[in-house]
Amino acid sequence: ETLKPLGYCNAALAMSFQVERRFSLLILEEGEEYVADVSASMALVRKGMTAESKGRLRIGSKSLIFQPDGISASILKFPFRHVRSVGNAERGTGRFTVESDQLVQVATKTGTETRIVTPFSVLRSKVTVNFHVLYASVDEYRQLIYRLWESSTTGKSEAEAVVRNIINEVTADVQFDVSRLGHREVALLQVHLWVRRVKPLLEVRGMLQVSDDAIYFQPHPNFSSKPVTRVALKEVLHVFRRTYGVQANALEIITVQNNCLYLCFEAQSECNHVAQILQSRRQALTAAPTGGVVVQSSTFVNPLGSAEEVLFDIRKITALWQSGLLSNYHYLDFLNCAAGRSQNDFSQYPVFPWVLQDYSSESLRLGDPSVYRDLSKPVGALSKKRLDYFKERMQSMSEEERFLYGTHYSTPAYVIYWLLRSMPERMLRLHNGHFDAMARLFRSVPESWASVNESTASLMELIPEFFVYPAEWLENSLGIVTAEGPLTDVSLPRWATDVSDFVCKMRAALESEHVSRNLPAWIDLIFGYKQDGEEAIQADNLFHPVCYTGSRSSQTASSSSDLPISVLETQLQEFGRVPRQLFNEAHPPRLKIPRWDQACLSEDPRHSEPWHKAVQNLSAGAADDAIAGSVELPTSSMSNVARLSPADTSKSSQLVNDTAPAQDAVGSCTTATIRALIPQAAPTFAASGQITGVAACGVNTYSIGEDGCLRVGPLPFCRAAANLETEASRSISSSPCMRRNFRISPMPLCALVALRTDLIAIGGHDNTVTLYSSSCGSAVARSQTHADTVTCLGISQCRTTMASGSRDQSVTSWVVTPTSLKSEETFDDVQQPIACVAAATNLILAGAIDGQLMAWDRRSSRPVLDRSLGGPAVACALHHEERFATALDEGGELRLWDLRRGCESLRLSVLARAGGGSLVRANCFLTDFEGWAVLGGANAHGRPAVALWDIPEQRELHTWSLNGTDDVAEVRFLVRPTDFTQDGSGDASTASFLCASATGAVHAFLPRTTA
């Protein structure tokens, strides 16, 4: 045992002027406070030998630390629990003596920064240390040390009380240095606030001040050469509320340069006050032009918002991911952020999935599904043998405390396990100055994967560093040496040539088509509805109850457990915690998968930037580039991927679905063919009053109105000119038309559907549903099932199932034949008048004026969908194979639900005020549910307009402003004529369609060349 400071204190003096050694708070013990520091010299006497040096005496709540000026000399630490005595101060000398039975030597490695790469050396020997306090009162510091040493012999709670009192005393007269503010800056806090700046496994206490221009953090005691940290408000990109430990009293401030200031407040009221100040100041800065960095209010995320507030925008970020504009990595990075996870908090570190299971082959074939891990299962369920063990153990537990897994997939220990080579000080902090045993260190990727599949104590997922540059964290570039010898670089799979190649291939796997298709299943486990409860049990995804602390958005971390706060915080550090739940239903699928080359990561540093940078980079040009870079999925390899038409090969992409697309729904209609249609004015629907319903078949058009009449006319498509491009000025209305009018009711009519050629169903204010033959001019059948006005009708593609909705808040299903009309079931679950209905073979869909949307299964009469729209329902539709339901509300949101997945898979804000489209009102729509949607309404000039939207890309492609007539009424009806087969079923395969206004103006959208 040799004392390392002996012999080379003087030799290091010359170097100390060239290289600065910075003190690290990680040398302190877990839970230890940094109280004060002072310049001092030290004379250490051991076994008759004396070592003298000058440096700085740092006082912690659990130890004394002396940092010599010589950068080669070890830092010496004297834990109070091993100190035998603290002598009195010698008058006039500035000296006092400490006797200890143990000292700890901390060797540092100083280069561009000071690092600790070897275990602490513990010398168990009696030593006498003479400290000489320089430039300060020895009595003050000796008394402080004596009180801390004395408290170390008491109980934990008493010691903590003493430390709190001492900290309050030493900071009572400390003031924020206002000279750090610019001469034109105004402090917005009357008095500075004491906060803690959070870094991984580290808290730095200091003073916070906010001016009208910047945020200031002044650490105290200041152990670094930087007196204050300044963050300009104009550079702040996001401010997220965070739960640190069990208290929701933290703010994570992220700048445009991707710097972070994570602040934990002493009281939640202080946190709220600062958040309000930042919000108001940043809104003022954003509104006013500045000469510096401009922080734009993003369309996709709230520029200032808590994790809870960002939840309102999650679907917009999800839409970017679905449309292929946001990578899988950036989307997962966003979900982690929104769920309260941060790289500054190791107890809530971002979690990423193991995506591969092949770490032994010589080459990696990303096109082979067998190389991928099953993302529908949690890590603990990947091995059946291990899962059976967990299930058997759970059976012996009480109902309230049952769990499968006693540890989480992300804990501070797991994070440090992965990041050992880049953050050795963190493991030394966690293990009290020692590295873990070599066998338990991260040495090999294949070995770690094997452990994750076999060990009952290893359930860890990955961290984001596995998928981005730089990759040097996998190498022992710091020269770390453990007690068992030097640490080697991480052993990689045979398919990786080096660490850069390994990370590139891991990222390529994450962005692959296979992972893109299956990632929603993993999101359901980590951030979604399979986190907790019965769904978690069914998915083998149930963790220790402590792990769910604060995971629900309605919970606060401190209120979700009966344990004392200190105990709960300790357990969270050990067990880990489930992220805040973001989704209450199955996650929607990805609609487009952009092409990803393995060289992407190395060629473009933007792929390694955080999610908010990626969103910021999504300008219109970047979005177009991303879409143009998409690739079509080979249909031979994936049978459940929708096939693209040749017309879309200019922007080919992957449309991912569970089953084959509805060919009769899509037919020859693509976004390209619809965009090429030319609107032509057609004969108007003359009526006394407004038109209330429009329908069409392959031969006729039908309209009803407030006058109680039905009007039948020829389909304009059949009268079109041969070449509309050369005869665009010629109106279809110039052709002679044969029309028929029928008086149906003395009361206004409201609803209309075409069942077959010359056979239609009508509903109106007389509360009846009428089956009417226009060829005979008479009613075939009539039924008065509803107690109030029949407001809407819907018909299935097979034309045998119909639905009616009424002002009496009821929905009725009907069985229809050419000669009969039979009511089948009445549903009264909706609480407001029905605005729209749709029917399929087995399902009925209805939307109400209060925004409630419900679907029922006719076979069981049970609801299968119950959702609330953002406003009154306007129109709805069902996929003929009952895979999708779609609804449009008055606020201009078009939503699509995947009924087989049980999730909302799409939400389009189609109005101009939402930043999405050119319409200011949307009243009706047509869609194939997978490729396109056509919406009718009015534009900003009040003119009738029709807009085409691309569903996978989730953007408006084209708008037609209908200025061919003097009519300024908005589009109220969109109709695709249906050609009826011999069995009565309908096929709307033509690309042409009609639009009409309530005043009767009609436009036909026709191909450039019409037969």
Side-chain angles (χ1 to χ4, degrees), residues 691-771:
I691 298 296
T692 56
V694 175
C697 65
V699 177
N700 297 326
T701 61
Y702 310 92
S703 67
I704 56 174
E706 294 176 331
D707 57 4
C709 292
L710 166 69
R711 290 170 174 79
V712 183
L715 186 69
F717 300 170
C718 303
R719 313 292 302 177
N723 193 323
L724 292 178
E725 185 172 15
T726 59
E727 302 184 28
S729 61
R730 183 179 301 175
S731 172
I732 300 174
S733 59
S734 62
S735 300
C737 299
M738 190 168 115
R739 297 175 172 272
R740 292 167 288 169
N741 294 348
F742 303 95
R743 182 76 170 180
I744 304 299
S745 170
M747 304 181 72
L749 301 177
C750 300
L752 172 68
V753 291
L755 278 71
R756 290 169 175 76
T757 302
D758 290 331
L759 185 64
I760 54 180
I762 304 171
H765 281 247
D766 58 3
N767 308 347
T768 63
V769 176
T770 302
L771 191 62

Side-chain angles (χ1 to χ4, degrees), residues 233-239 256 279 281-290 293-305 310 313 316-317 320 611-612 615-619 913-915:
L233 290 178
K234 64 185 178 182
E235 295 180 351
V236 174
L237 184 62
H238 297 292
V239 179
V256 292
Q279 184 173 14
R281 282 305 305 157
R282 292 189 62 247
Q283 286 176 344
L285 288 172
T286 304
T290 64
V293 178
V294 178
V295 181
Q296 296 180 345
S297 180
S298 172
T299 302
F300 309 110
V301 290
N302 191 344
L304 177 72
V310 171
D313 293 306
K316 294 183 180 179
I317 302 296
L320 292 179
W611 69 270
H612 50 82
V615 171
Q616 198 176 36
N617 292 334
L618 279 179
S619 62
R913 64 173 178 266

Side-chain angles (χ1 to χ4, degrees), residues 768-831:
T768 63
V769 176
T770 302
L771 191 62
Y772 195 87
S773 172
S774 61
S775 60
C776 298
S778 62
V780 175
R782 187 187 301 267
S783 178
Q784 191 172 19
T785 301
H786 294 288
D788 206 335
T789 301
V790 177
T791 56
C792 47
L793 294 171
I795 191 72
S796 65
Q797 187 181 20
C798 64
R799 261 49 190 182
T800 59
T801 302
M802 188 174 71
S804 62
S806 171
R807 196 171 292 164
D808 67 4
Q809 306 175 18
S810 69
V811 177
T812 299
S813 63
W814 305 79
V815 176
V816 184
T817 71
T819 58
S820 66
L821 181 65
K822 180 182 178 182
S823 63
E824 184 182 47
E825 185 77 29
T826 297
F827 308 98
D828 57 3
D829 306 82
V830 181
Q831 304 303 312

Side-chain angles (χ1 to χ4, degrees), residues 780-994:
V780 175
R782 187 187 301 267
S783 178
Q784 191 172 19
T785 301
H786 294 288
D788 206 335
T789 301
V790 177
T791 56
C792 47
L793 294 171
I795 191 72
S796 65
Q797 187 181 20
C798 64
R799 261 49 190 182
T800 59
T801 302
M802 188 174 71
S804 62
S806 171
R807 196 171 292 164
D808 67 4
Q809 306 175 18
S810 69
V811 177
T812 299
S813 63
W814 305 79
V815 176
V816 184
T817 71
T819 58
S820 66
L821 181 65
K822 180 182 178 182
S823 63
E824 184 182 47
E825 185 77 29
T826 297
F827 308 98
D828 57 3
D829 306 82
V830 181
Q831 304 303 312
Q832 292 292 327
I834 308 302
C836 55
V837 291
T841 304
N842 298 309
L843 296 183
I844 302 295
L845 179 68
I849 62 172
D850 65 346
Q852 185 179 10
L853 185 76
M854 291 194 70
W856 299 266
D857 191 320
R858 293 174 52 227
R859 295 164 296 186
S860 64
S861 300
R862 294 180 178 177
V864 295
L865 183 71
D866 188 355
R867 296 291 186 271
S868 294
L869 305 178
V874 172
C876 61
L878 277 171
H879 187 268
H880 81 287
E881 291 182 353
E882 301 171 346
R883 294 165 49 206
F884 305 108
T886 311
L888 174 68
D889 65 39
E890 198 173 83
E893 276 196 334
L894 182 67
R895 303 191 194 187
L896 186 146
W897 285 267
D898 188 321
L899 299 177
R900 297 185 181 180
R901 291 177 181 264
C903 68
E904 180 181 330
S905 60
L906 183 73
R907 185 181 298 191
L908 298 177
S909 296
V910 300
L911 299 187
R913 64 173 178 266
S918 57
L919 302 180
V920 294
R921 284 183 301 279
N923 304 310
C924 49
F925 71 90
L926 297 171
T927 183
D928 69 346
F929 299 92
E930 297 171 296
W932 54 265
V934 175
L935 295 108
N939 59 22
H941 303 290
R943 304 294 302 180
V946 175
L948 171 64
W949 279 72
D950 187 298
I951 287 180
E953 294 179 10
Q954 303 190 37
R955 63 170 181 149
E956 185 181 277
L957 295 180
H958 189 65
T959 305
W960 296 271
S961 181
L962 307 178
N963 299 318
T965 70
D966 294 332
D967 179 61
V968 295
E970 56 201 62
V971 174
R972 287 284 182 180
F973 310 100
L974 285 170
V975 179
R976 281 184 82 190
T978 303
D979 292 325
F980 296 107
T981 60
Q982 290 183 353
D983 62 3
S985 63
D987 178 14
S989 59
T990 176
S992 305
F993 63 90
L994 295 174

Side-chain angles (χ1 to χ4, degrees), residues 309-371:
E309 290 169 336
V310 171
L311 292 177
F312 293 111
D313 293 306
I314 278 184
R315 288 196 178 276
K316 294 183 180 179
I317 302 296
T318 299
L320 292 179
W321 171 77
Q322 285 183 284
S323 59
L325 299 181
L326 205 63
S327 69
N328 289 341
Y329 171 83
H330 287 122
Y331 184 54
L332 290 177
D333 189 34
F334 164 75
L335 293 181
N336 275 284
C337 180
R341 304 187 80 82
S342 167
Q343 288 181 300
N344 286 286
D345 185 357
F346 275 14
S347 69
Q348 299 184 88
Y349 204 78
V351 55
F352 276 67
W354 288 93
V355 293
L356 294 171
Q357 65 176 0
D358 182 2
Y359 297 96
S360 58
S361 299
E362 291 188 4
S363 61
L364 183 63
R365 296 179 298 169
L366 293 178
D368 183 359
S370 66
V371 305

